[in-house]
Amino acid sequence: MRKILLLSDTHSHIDERIMKHVMWSDEVWHAGDIGDLKVTDSLKAVRPLRAVYGNIDDHQARAEFPLHHRFWCEQVAVWITHIGGYPGKYNPAIRQEILTNPPQLFICGHSHILKVQFDKTLNLLHLNPGAAGVHGFHQVRTMLRFVIDGDKIKDMEIVELGKRGGSEQ
């Protein structure tokens, strides 16, 4: 059993509200737009980290993290990328691969829109944790927490970190 904290679009922001949930997890997954690598350095100092770079990330982030990360967690095939789209509207850059070799869990960021959606056609769960950072058009900062136990994805929770520019609600 693995407890996963999933976040994205930190845009160089890390704070105690995020770190509190990091401490709950066994692993942290970051779906890109990291910004300053102090974010990922802070995360991996306390928990194992899997991350991809996003469109705002510089050459240092691109040297440290891949664009696509496919792996197994327990018995679940996972694919994390930053700009992936969502069921019925997958990014053309990944569309062929996701159609021919779909994972069980497909994760992306970029939109700053929290989304948990099952793709019945490809039999996969799509997750976008929204944005944990303070920059962007989103109003509430969000992340996702869940458990992978064998081949099951369970105990999904939305974590609200408060308003983008203000304090936790």
Side-chain angles (χ1 to χ4, degrees):
M1 182 177 84
R2 305 294 294 169
K3 295 186 288 185
I4 308 301
L5 177 67
L6 173 62
L7 70 161
S8 186
D9 296 276
T10 48
H11 293 263
S12 301
H13 182 80
I14 188 86
D15 62 25
E16 286 306 312
R17 285 179 271 180
I18 293 171
M19 293 307 292
K20 175 179 85 172
H21 294 282
V22 169
M23 300 313 293
W24 165 89
S25 70
D26 295 317
E27 291 183 23
V28 179
W29 299 352
H30 195 302
D33 276 4
I34 297 158
D36 192 314
L37 289 181
K38 72 177 182 178
V39 170
T40 49
D41 290 345
S42 296
L43 297 171
K44 66 186 178 183
V46 294
R47 292 294 186 264
L49 173 69
R50 298 178 192 261
V52 296
Y53 70 80
N55 57 295
I56 67 124
D57 291 317
D58 66 12
H59 66 283
Q60 291 176 310
R62 291 168 191 242
E64 185 169 345
F65 301 107
L67 175 61
H68 302 285
H69 191 18
R70 291 192 80 148
F71 59 94
W72 287 86
C73 181
E74 298 266 323
Q75 298 162 29
V76 174
V78 180
W79 181 358
I80 304 175
T81 193
H82 184 59
I83 303 175
Y86 54 90
K89 297 282 185 180
Y90 292 111
N91 182 339
I94 61 103
R95 189 174 299 137
Q96 188 58 43
E97 186 173 350
I98 202 165
L99 292 175
T100 58
N101 187 20
Q104 292 152 288
L105 182 57
F106 180 66
I107 297 168
C108 61
H110 185 62
S111 70
H112 293 218
I113 300 169
L114 175 80
K115 191 173 283 198
V116 177
Q117 184 176 3
F118 189 74
D119 183 331
K120 293 177 188 172
T121 303
L122 297 179
N123 195 34
L124 66 81
L125 181 61
H126 165 73
L127 301 179
N128 185 323
V134 296
H135 300 291
F137 67 88
H138 58 283
Q139 296 301 305
V140 177
R141 300 168 50 222
T142 57
M143 304 185 297
L144 290 169
R145 293 182 357 169
F146 55 95
V147 172
I148 296 181
D149 189 1
D151 63 352
K152 305 281 188 267
I153 303 162
K154 62 185 192 177
D155 302 332
M156 183 78 56
E157 295 178 67
I158 296 169
V159 176
E160 290 189 359
L161 297 167
K163 298 236 181 241
R164 181 171 50 92
S167 62
E168 190 170 11
Q169 299 299 309

